[in-house]
Amino acid sequence: MQEQAQAQDDLITRAQAWLAEDPDPETAAELAALIASGDTAELADRFSGTLQFGTAGLRGEIGAGPMRMNRGVVIRAAAGLAAYLKAQGHDGGLVVVGYDARYKSADFARDTASVMIGAGLRAAVLPRPLPTPVLAYAIRHLGAVAGVEVTASHNPPRDNGYKVYLGDGSQIVSPADSEIAAQIAAVEKLADVPRPEAGWQELGDEVLEAYLARTDAVLTPGSPRGVRTVYTAMHGVGKDVVMAAFARHGFPEPVLVAEQAEPDPAFPTVAFPNPEEPGAMDLAFAKAAEVRPDIVIANDPDADRCAVAVPTGDGWRMLRGDEVGALLAAHLVHKGARGVFAESIVSSSLLGRIAEAAGVGYEETLTGFKWIARVEGLRYGYEEALGYCVDPEGVRDKDGVTAALLVAELASVLKEQGRTLTDLLDDLAMAHGLHATDQLSVRVSDLSIIADAMAALRAQPPVSLAGLRVVSAEDLAKGTETLPPTDGLRYYLDGTYKARVIARPSGTEPKLKCYLEVVVPVAEASDLAPARVRGQEVLDAIKKDLSAAMGI
């Protein structure tokens, strides 16, 4: 009993110490109320450790305490990044800061700029909330040594995040992440971090104009531009930039989903502001039913992802990220693109088939554009989670704006031929087999569920799934000949069909994700419809068997 009382006293003492230096009146008031109410369970959650800085930077729920996103955590992160940059010989170098329209994003951006100036670096802040790819572009355009984007991408409204890029314009990877984390841990008191009130540059629209001018490189001069589009920004920052890009290149003005067009950190019309989530596209489909466009395009809130939907006989269907990835690859091949086509290991193997047939390079990487962007000679990269890098010389990251332009160009070319995106998908299935993909995704409130599921698979690996024999089982935590270690398991299956399964914890959300693919041979056009049915049946059976194997 005495030990419990001592632990509670220590908890209150740590909370009071944090409160004493909290620079934000809102989170300070929140923490003071928790201390006054004696809510030790909530305090214990907020002070059970610190948000860990990794290759995804920081991401978490906004609130007071070291396990939340707040100004105190961001100031420490910025100080750690500044110390790392100086240790790398970049004293006096420029750091560009961008931000989205989420709660506290502008505050976190200003704090970051202030810390950089205080540390003897230079800082420039984008003029307003803008898409993440504008920040990624600005780093190289301005010759910066690093960039910071304050965003939680498509996470729930209560979250925010902190994404770090180095001077090559790509996101950090190991060992930079651990070296920055060590510098963050070395920050003791916030009072020791110089934070001047001014000194950084507030950028104007010239950077955005340069980014828009760079989008010229995505399209073929004189290509068809006739596709009619419904567009949703999903309450994020994409609308103005996408509309400007479409106008610049002579596409018909997209019809906006008005309810989701303007930035709103509350994301009032969606449970999760992610086009992949159930219900998120309902308003876009309602607008499409009204105006009958050729395609629907959506960005996520920071506009680095691009979703595409196509008409069906009785409504609209969201294309999977793998389908859009294959379509863009086929379009780039048709346009004569050379170089390396790359994807992460969780994406469809169809890209490799397309690349091989076209005689272009192909490479697989670990999950995330921090890896895809580093592929030597990269010409095109994509990931199944709606991320596409179609102009790596301009933006070495996924870019939902240039991806939308390239989708619009492809749809316009096909429209002029009396064809659709669906027709091209059929062509690819005929040429390479139907690559059916799906995902088993489990969102948890208790992260131990994910650890237990992965442990169950490691302790007793499946010998078959959906009646297909497991012919290869890899624990990716051990690394492979071509991949560094990562927490994941990969199975190849063979039998009536070939299939692949990858299970891994999400790097940005409390989710266990399993990526499934089955390849169904297609001999002629009449085989397409039954192949799609059979592919989904096999995927559903794999899901069922995999869930049982994981105990979830």
Side-chain angles (χ1 to χ4, degrees), residues 81 84-86 88-96 116 121-122 138-140 142-147 164-170:
L81 173 60
Y84 166 81
L85 292 172
K86 293 175 73 172
Q88 296 293 312
H90 295 309
D91 201 0
L94 174 68
V95 178
V96 189
M116 296 302 157
L121 294 151
R122 295 178 293 128
I139 294 166
R140 299 175 71 197
L142 297 174
V145 298
V164 177
Y165 297 76
L166 294 181
D168 63 355
S170 57

Side-chain angles (χ1 to χ4, degrees), residues 441-451 509-512 552:
S441 180
V442 182
R443 186 181 292 272
V444 301
S445 55
D446 180 359
L447 291 177
S448 69
I449 295 173
I450 295 176
E509 297 179 89
K511 281 183 175 182
L512 175 63
I552 57 175

Side-chain angles (χ1 to χ4, degrees), residues 192-552:
D192 297 336
V193 180
R195 287 182 287 135
E197 294 293 319
W200 57 90
Q201 180 184 3
E202 297 280 357
L203 294 168
D205 279 346
E206 65 279 354
V207 171
L208 177 58
E209 290 303 319
Y211 168 82
L212 287 170
R214 175 67 205 183
T215 64
D216 294 357
V218 176
L219 304 177
T220 300
S223 63
R225 309 284 165 92
V227 72
R228 295 178 302 109
T229 306
V230 160
Y231 171 75
T232 176
M234 205 65 69
H235 298 295
V237 299
K239 183 201 73 175
D240 289 347
V241 179
V242 167
M243 296 294 276
F246 271 58
R248 176 184 182 89
H249 296 294
F251 289 101
E253 182 177 353
V255 176
L256 295 175
V257 179
E259 301 93 330
Q260 299 175 333
E262 300 302 328
D264 187 336
F267 302 104
T269 69
V270 291
F272 291 96
N274 178 354
E276 293 179 295
E277 293 284 347
M281 294 290 288
D282 286 356
L283 288 172
F285 292 162
K287 177 58 69 173
E290 175 189 333
V291 303
R292 301 177 66 83
D294 299 305
I295 57 173
V296 173
I297 290 177
N299 287 135
D300 66 337
D302 69 326
D304 63 351
R305 289 174 169 84
C306 177
V308 182
V310 295
T312 62
D314 56 356
W316 287 81
R317 180 177 80 86
M318 269 275 291
L319 296 180
R320 293 191 174 278
D322 284 319
E323 291 177 306
V324 177
L327 287 169
L328 291 179
H331 186 44
L332 287 168
V333 165
H334 183 73
K335 284 156 67 85
R338 308 307 296 171
V340 178
F341 284 23
E343 63 180 342
S344 63
I345 57 174
V346 300
S347 304
S348 172
S349 60
L350 177 56
L351 183 67
R353 303 274 185 95
I354 294 170
E356 182 181 13
V360 300
Y362 170 74
E363 191 165 327
E364 267 190 334
T365 74
L366 292 183
T367 307
F369 271 82
K370 56 184 176 283
W371 299 108
I372 293 172
R374 285 181 160 74
V375 169
E376 189 173 347
L378 180 68
R379 175 57 185 88
Y380 169 63
Y382 98 91
E383 193 157 70
E384 56 76 42
L386 309 183
Y388 314 96
C389 175
V390 300
D391 178 26
E393 289 304 307
V395 175
R396 289 192 181 177
D397 197 7
K398 54 187 178 293
D399 183 345
V401 179
T402 50
L405 286 174
L406 199 59
V407 167
E409 181 185 58
L410 171 57
S412 296
V413 169
L414 292 168
K415 182 178 180 179
E416 196 168 84
Q417 298 169 355
R419 306 177 74 236
T420 67
L421 296 177
T422 305
D423 293 328
L424 182 52
L425 286 172
D426 289 348
D427 292 348
L428 293 172
M430 292 283 293
H432 307 292
L434 177 72
H435 288 62
T437 60
D438 206 346
Q439 190 179 126
L440 172 62
S441 180
V442 182
R443 186 181 292 272
V444 301
S445 55
D446 180 359
L447 291 177
S448 69
I449 295 173
I450 295 176
D452 290 347
M454 295 294 290
L457 285 176
R458 286 187 166 104
Q460 193 167 354
V463 295
S464 69
L465 295 167
L468 303 176
R469 186 168 57 93
V470 175
V471 295
S472 171
E474 296 174 287
D475 188 341
L476 298 175
K478 300 175 181 177
T480 72
E481 289 184 3
T482 57
L483 298 171
T486 187
D487 188 8
L489 298 163
R490 178 164 62 179
Y491 308 106
Y492 288 101
L493 296 81
D494 204 353
T496 309
Y497 308 104
K498 293 185 182 297
R500 185 211 64 199
V501 173
I502 294 176
R504 60 178 285 273
S506 170
T508 56
E509 297 179 89
K511 281 183 175 182
L512 175 63
K513 289 187 171 183
C514 303
Y515 305 84
L516 323 175
E517 179 177 55
V518 59
V519 182
V520 182
V522 177
E524 52 191 46
S526 60
D527 295 335
L528 283 167
R532 288 196 170 91
V533 172
R534 185 60 184 140
Q536 191 58 54
E537 288 173 349
V538 176
L539 290 170
D540 290 344
I542 292 175
K543 279 187 189 181
K544 183 178 178 181
D545 290 353
L546 189 62
S547 294
M550 294 188 297
I552 57 175

